[in-house]
Amino acid sequence: MIKIASSEITPEHIYLNRRKFMVGAGSIAGALALAACGKADAPAASAPAAASQSTLKTPLTAFPKATLDHAEPYASKAQDELGNKLNKYDEITNYNNYYEFTTDKEGVNPLSEGFTTTPWKVEVSGLVNNPKTYDVDDMLKKFTQEERIYRLRCVEAWSMVIPWVGFKIADLLKEVDPKSEAKFLKFTSVMRPEEMPGQQTGMLNWPYVEGLRIDEAMNPLAIFATGMYGKPLLAANGAPFRLITPWKYGFKGIKAIVKIELVDTQPVSAWMNAASNEYGFYANVNPEVDHPRWSQATERRVGALGHIPTLKFNGYEQEVASLYAGMDLKANY
Ligand code: MTE
């Protein structure tokens, strides 16, 4: 098992704060200095090529919740549209970033097992003509759930290939009908320190917040995930409702969303708040723009040996590059 020092991958002040955090959080002991990596059990495959839109949208016909509750892990394909092998269910559910629980990637799943995810309401408000509060169970019935096999590239330079199940953000926006002044979506995660030990510390400014430009959210690749491998999401992966924007670094994929506000000014995300010189609003995957403390040119596929080249926009350039036409991608990191 390869080990990476947390000091390499974590904003400096959080790395330093972690020492204080660990002293006060006995149950999360062990996460202090090291972040463990996945098992090296499969070769990585990566052939830079245009992502094919059609293979990204495989409708999952038998997705009703009743089926899901009993389904075995299921994906319609064994690889993504570039030929990358899917990560195993166990890898995806046991190597997680979820700082509300712990900074130990392998500790998130055990610590979050009892987390209450039903009932779950999501408020959609702000600059919309039809503000609504949804029950997640109703969203599962109302919005067409599809399988989306996406690469997830973490800003820490590891990656996975994940068969999410979810629905298009555009479908939800159509229903709430944003006003013309609305320019951004602001997402807020649940605040429940009694169930989330990490929230009892000041390592991030809780609750976790993220944002998207409205045209980014309308892109057909942008989804809310409700399931993974044909099963309901586990708490560790952000159950019951999280964001997935596969062309952006994983930290944009906010978990356990309880509020979506349409706003006219660019939201300040939790990571911008923590270290704005290291984490920007856009967070588009870009091998040409290094993190101030490490290179973004390559990545380690969890479960595989060695490093593979990182693709611009994580391989989804054809689908999303036009959103950023004329923008300086170095300045707008
Ligand atoms: N959402 C919340 N609420 N809290 C978090 O700590 N971590 C982010 C993102 N969403 C995080 C979050 C990061 S850094 C990554 S890489 C992805 O979740 C990881 O998602 P996964 O654990 O499902 O692979």
Side-chain angles (χ1 to χ4, degrees):
M1 189 177 286
I2 309 157
K3 300 268 183 185
I4 303 176
S6 273
S7 55
E8 285 174 29
I9 58 172
T10 309
E12 252 152 10
H13 83 281
I14 289 180
Y15 175 63
L16 296 174
N17 275 350
R18 200 176 283 173
R19 291 166 188 278
K20 283 189 237 155
F21 163 63
M22 292 312 303
V23 171
S27 65
I28 351 184
L32 175 59
L34 297 168
C37 304
K39 291 181 286 276
D41 57 2
S46 172
S52 128
Q53 189 83 357
S54 60
T55 56
L56 296 172
K57 289 201 241 173
T58 307
L60 199 68
T61 45
F63 191 68
K65 196 165 184 298
T67 316
L68 270 181
D69 283 342
H70 307 286
E72 291 302 309
Y74 166 82
S76 68
K77 297 187 182 68
Q79 52 185 40
D80 70 8
E81 83 288 359
L82 301 184
N84 295 295
K85 200 174 126 191
L86 299 195
N87 276 90
K88 296 186 183 113
Y89 185 78
D90 282 350
E91 289 168 339
I92 302 165
T93 53
N94 287 293
Y95 190 81
N96 303 101
N97 273 338
Y98 205 166
Y99 279 17
E100 282 90 333
F101 287 99
T102 171
T103 54
D104 171 11
K105 294 180 183 8
E106 292 171 359
V108 172
N109 192 347
L111 260 181
S112 62
E113 252 171 17
F115 182 63
T116 313
T117 57
T118 45
W120 193 279
K121 304 255 187 239
V122 181
E123 175 191 315
V124 190
S125 56
L127 300 170
V128 290
N129 290 315
N130 297 319
K132 278 185 194 287
T133 296
Y134 292 93
D135 194 296
V136 166
D137 283 348
D138 294 334
M139 284 179 162
L140 283 174
K141 291 182 214 131
K142 186 181 233 340
F143 300 114
T144 309
Q145 309 290 314
E146 305 171 18
E147 180 191 61
R148 297 290 184 101
I149 297 173
Y150 283 159
R151 294 170 289 287
L152 180 146
R153 168 55 158 88
C154 178
V155 74
E156 297 164 342
W158 55 265
S159 62
M160 296 203 206
V161 183
I162 304 181
W164 300 110
V165 178
F167 66 94
K168 287 192 284 290
I169 302 185
D171 290 351
L172 182 135
L173 287 179
K174 209 179 293 167
E175 197 169 276
V176 297
D177 188 17
K179 295 184 174 170
S180 55
E181 313 92 88
K183 301 280 179 273
F184 298 91
L185 285 81
K186 177 183 173 192
F187 305 95
T188 307
S189 289
V190 72
M191 184 71 190
R192 222 186 273 163
E194 66 284 9
E195 283 193 78
M196 300 175 123
Q199 282 186 340
Q200 293 162 24
T201 75
M203 63 177 309
L204 281 178
N205 201 359
W206 310 112
Y208 200 98
V209 166
E210 259 305 339
L212 288 177
R213 248 173 32 200
I214 207 163
D215 58 339
E216 295 181 306
M218 291 294 290
N219 186 279
L221 293 188
I223 61 165
F224 289 121
T226 55
M228 200 268 293
Y229 259 114
K231 289 165 70 75
L233 282 183
L234 291 190
N237 292 110
F241 183 74
R242 69 159 314 165
L243 176 69
I244 301 290
T245 45
W247 69 97
K248 293 178 177 287
Y249 290 118
F251 70 85
K252 293 295 286 186
I254 178 172
K255 298 177 173 183
I257 299 168
V258 290
K259 200 197 293 187
I260 303 165
E261 292 162 277
L262 278 287
V263 294
D264 57 5
T265 45
Q266 186 174 289
V268 177
S269 71
W271 285 104
M272 289 163 76
N273 222 330
S276 60
N277 60 323
E278 301 194 348
Y279 305 101
F281 177 77
Y282 283 97
N284 290 318
V285 175
N286 193 339
E288 293 150 25
V289 179
D290 287 340
H291 185 278
R293 291 183 288 122
W294 61 86
S295 163
Q296 294 292 25
T298 64
E299 66 202 54
R300 179 183 59 83
R301 182 69 39 83
V302 170
L305 280 177
H307 283 71
I308 55 176
T310 286
L311 306 179
K312 198 160 184 183
F313 296 112
N314 205 19
Y316 303 99
E317 188 166 6
Q318 200 175 293
E319 289 86 355
V320 301
S322 62
L323 290 168
Y324 312 103
M327 268 176 65
D328 176 350
L329 298 179
K330 213 172 164 101
N332 293 286
Y333 59 89

